[in-house]
Structures are given as structure tokens and as C-alpha cells.
């Protein structure tokens, strides 16, 4: 948790220009959730009013390296009484590696409804850790997953693969996880939103391979996030359990589309959509 909060403490080079640090990692490229969360944090730091993010739309353009900082350049597109808009370019080594547009809104009263909380979901305490489930599927030790993503506590609540616990009749590619930051965060709504953006990228693309005989994270699959969108609906805490209910409606031409709904205490707090590369390769 301390490493995650340190990642979200950006260095201000000058107004609208920020530098993000890198974590200790054995990965060859920067985790997409890290870049997304740092870019959102950079945009948040340029706001003057009481707006909080309600939507963002991002593209991962090039792999980010893990051996040098990332520079975040924020463009102030709009500052209104109700809405503010920011565009962020993330640069590394002279190239743009990532871009995101984010819209911020002042909370106000209005019409309200939501999808209901899914039925028959086991409690997080009754679910195995994601690191254990991934280790069983990929053959990589659970300690590898814990070392890279130990800032998050993730529990695997089931999927729709053959023999899985979720019905795949209407949606053949489904998965659920419980997720939260592994520790207590300060009472800052913007920090909790950035932390959820970080967490939202960890498992979403993997649901697009659930019905197929490949292992996400294994040597026979090349996977990478391409675009990522989020809508923030209601207040939440990223350090308390959130159910991430995920579906992949389509996979084709080495691209997988996934959507996810995030619930806390029965409330739908965020919706996520992502398309990514899922290219089957020869492990040799």
C-alpha cells in the first residue's frame, strides 16, 4: 500500500507537467494500471474547483519502460462551473506512450438508478487469492504475483470456463474477483479514484480468454491493454472490498473486449470497458 501511494505522489516539474516514479519490479514493461493512475493523478492536481472524475478514456500507445520515470503533460481543455476537462500525454524517452482524456464534475442531485448487485457471490474471505489461482493456471509461483501486485488484495470468485462456477449460457466469458487496496488509505476521494483506476487494469483483459484453451500470463499468449475507459458513478473506498463483475462480449482478430462493473456495499460505483491484444503465439 505504501508503494502504491508513493507511485501516486507525483513530482511537479512545473504547472501542468509532472514526473512519475517507477516501482521495484521484474516486469519488462510498466503496468498499464500504474500509468493510468499516475495520469489521472496528474490531471487531478490541475483542478481548481470541487470536481471529481466521472469518466476517462485512455489509449496505451507504446510499452512503458520500467527503468526510467514517466513525464505527464496535462492540457487544460475546459474549466466550467460544473465540468472540467483534461487531456494528459505520458512521455518517456521522447515518445508519447499513453494518452487519456478525463472529465470532472461537481456532485449534484438528479435522477438515479442502477443495476442490482449480482446474486450468489461468495464472500471475499471464502475465495482464494488471485495469486494462488493464477499460479495454478500459469505454473508461475504465487510469490511472483504477490511481489508485483502485493499492493492489492484480490480474491478469485469464479469464472465461466468449463467446470467453472459461473453460468456461461448467455455470456461464455465471465469472471468475478473481489479487490481492494491491501491497507488503509487516507480519506481523499481523488486518491481512492486513482487507486481504483490502478486496480481496474489488473484482471479485466484476462476474462476475454476464459472460454479458450490458453493461459493468461502464460508463454503461449501475448497480451496487452490497448484502450481503457472508466465511468465513476458513486463514492467508494478503494481500501474496502469491491466486487469486480467482468464479462467479455467478443473476441476476434487477436482482440478481446471486456467490460466490468464494480460494486461496493450493494452499490454500483464504477463501470469499466477495455479492449486489448490477446494474440496466440508459439511458446518456442
Amino acid at each position: 500500500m505504501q508503494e502504491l501511494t508513493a507511485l501516486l505522489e507525483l513530482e511537479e516539474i512545473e504547472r501542468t507537467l509532472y514526473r512519475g516514479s517507477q516501482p521495484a519490479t521484474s516486469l519488462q514493461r510498466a503496468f498499464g494500471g500504474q500509468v493510468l493512475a499516475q495520469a489521472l493523478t496528474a490531471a487531478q492536481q490541475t483542478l481548481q474547483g470541487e470536481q471529481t472524475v466521472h469518466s476517462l478514456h485512455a489509449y496505451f500507445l507504446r510499452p512503458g519502460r520500467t527503468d526510467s520515470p514517466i513525464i505527464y503533460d496535462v492540457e487544460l481543455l475546459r474549466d466550467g462551473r460544473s465540468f472540467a476537462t483534461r487531456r494528459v500525454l505520458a512521455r518517456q524517452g521522447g515518445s508519447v506512450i499513453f494518452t487519456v482524456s478525463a472529465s470532472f464534475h461537481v456532485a449534484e442531485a438528479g435522477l438515479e438508478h442502477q443495476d442490482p448487485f449480482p446474486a450468489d457471490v461468495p464472500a471475499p474471505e471464502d475465495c482464494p487469492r488471485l495469486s494462488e489461482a493464477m499460479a495454478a493456471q500459469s505454473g508461475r509461483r504465487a510469490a511472483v504475483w504477490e511481489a508485483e501486485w502485493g499492493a492489492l488484495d484480490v480474491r478469485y470468485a469464479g469464472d465461466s470456463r468449463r467446470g467453472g462456477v459461473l453460468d456461461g449460457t448467455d455470456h461464455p466469458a465471465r469472471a468475478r474477483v473481489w479487490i481492494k487496496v491491501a491497507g488503509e488509505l487516507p480519506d481523499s476521494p481523488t486518491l481512492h479514484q486513482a487507486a481504483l483506476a490502478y486496480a481496474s487494469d489488473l484482471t479485466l483483459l484476462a476474462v476475454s480468454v476464459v472460454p479458450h484453451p490458453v493461459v493468461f500470463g502464460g508463454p503461449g499468449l501475448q497480451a496487452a491493454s490497448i484502450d481503457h475507459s472508466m465511468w465513476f458513478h458513486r463514492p467508494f473506498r478503494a481500501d474496502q472490498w469491491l466486487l469486480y463483475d467482468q464479462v467479455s462480449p467478443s473476441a476476434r482478430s487477436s482482440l478481446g473486449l471486456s467490460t466490468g462493473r464494480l460494486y461496493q456495499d450493494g452499490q454500483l460505483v464504477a463501470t469499466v470497458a477495455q479492449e486489448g491484444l490477446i494474440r496466440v503465439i508459439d511458446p518456442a
Side-chain angles (χ1 to χ4, degrees):
M1 187 274 293
Q2 293 176 341
E3 185 175 80
L4 176 58
T5 55
L7 283 177
L8 300 179
E9 293 175 357
L10 306 182
E11 176 190 354
E12 184 176 6
I13 301 172
E14 58 182 71
R15 187 171 185 266
T16 76
L17 197 63
Y18 302 87
R19 180 183 288 113
S21 63
Q22 297 281 11
T25 178
S26 62
L27 298 178
Q28 299 301 306
R29 63 186 183 191
F31 172 49
Q34 169 200 328
V35 182
L36 177 64
Q38 288 182 330
L40 176 58
T41 300
Q44 290 168 332
Q45 293 188 7
T46 67
L47 296 172
Q48 303 299 318
E50 298 181 355
Q51 301 101 331
T52 58
V53 66
H54 71 91
S55 69
L56 59 83
H57 306 277
Y59 280 92
F60 297 90
L61 305 177
R62 296 177 177 86
R65 302 197 316 273
T66 58
D67 59 353
S68 63
I70 300 174
I71 303 300
Y72 297 92
D73 188 356
V74 185
E75 185 176 1
L76 314 185
L77 298 183
R78 178 187 182 189
D79 280 300
R81 285 183 294 181
S82 296
F83 290 90
T85 308
R86 299 291 187 264
R87 181 166 58 204
V88 185
L89 298 181
R91 294 188 174 92
Q92 193 178 48
S95 298
V96 176
I97 65 169
F98 171 89
T99 180
V100 63
S101 296
S103 182
F104 301 82
H105 179 225
V106 174
E108 57 182 292
L111 305 176
E112 185 168 336
H113 71 270
Q114 69 163 48
D115 281 352
F117 185 83
D120 302 323
V121 181
E125 295 79 9
D126 297 328
C127 299
R129 293 186 178 275
L130 178 65
S131 57
E132 298 169 356
M134 294 301 294
Q137 295 176 24
S138 68
R140 299 173 65 184
R141 294 182 300 111
V144 175
W145 298 96
E146 294 287 353
E148 295 295 346
W149 293 287
L152 301 175
D153 190 348
V154 190
R155 309 296 176 92
Y156 204 58
D159 60 37
S160 60
R161 74 184 69 239
R162 185 185 297 272
V165 300
L166 298 182
D167 180 19
T169 304
D170 295 328
H171 300 287
R174 302 174 61 200
R176 289 173 180 161
V177 298
W178 288 98
I179 193 166
K180 71 181 181 73
V181 173
E184 186 175 351
L185 293 175
D187 295 330
S188 167
T190 56
L191 177 60
H192 286 263
Q193 289 173 329
L196 187 61
Y198 176 93
S200 69
D201 186 49
L202 183 60
T203 61
L204 190 56
L205 184 56
V207 70
S208 65
V209 306
V210 161
H212 304 287
V214 295
V215 176
F216 195 85
L221 188 74
Q222 181 183 3
S225 303
I226 296 175
D227 61 26
H228 192 99
S229 296
M230 291 188 72
W231 296 265
F232 298 82
H233 309 306
R234 294 170 177 83
F236 62 89
R237 291 193 64 93
D239 55 4
Q240 296 179 6
W241 287 116
L242 296 120
L243 176 68
Y244 204 176
D245 184 34
Q246 303 159 106
V247 171
S248 175
S250 177
R252 184 180 183 275
S253 189
S254 295
L255 297 174
L257 174 66
S258 302
T259 64
R261 300 178 300 175
L262 285 149
Y263 290 87
Q264 187 168 80
D265 297 328
Q267 296 288 304
L268 180 63
V269 300
T271 301
V272 191
Q274 182 182 86
E275 189 172 50
L277 177 69
I278 48 169
R279 179 182 290 145
V280 178
I281 58 176
D282 184 349

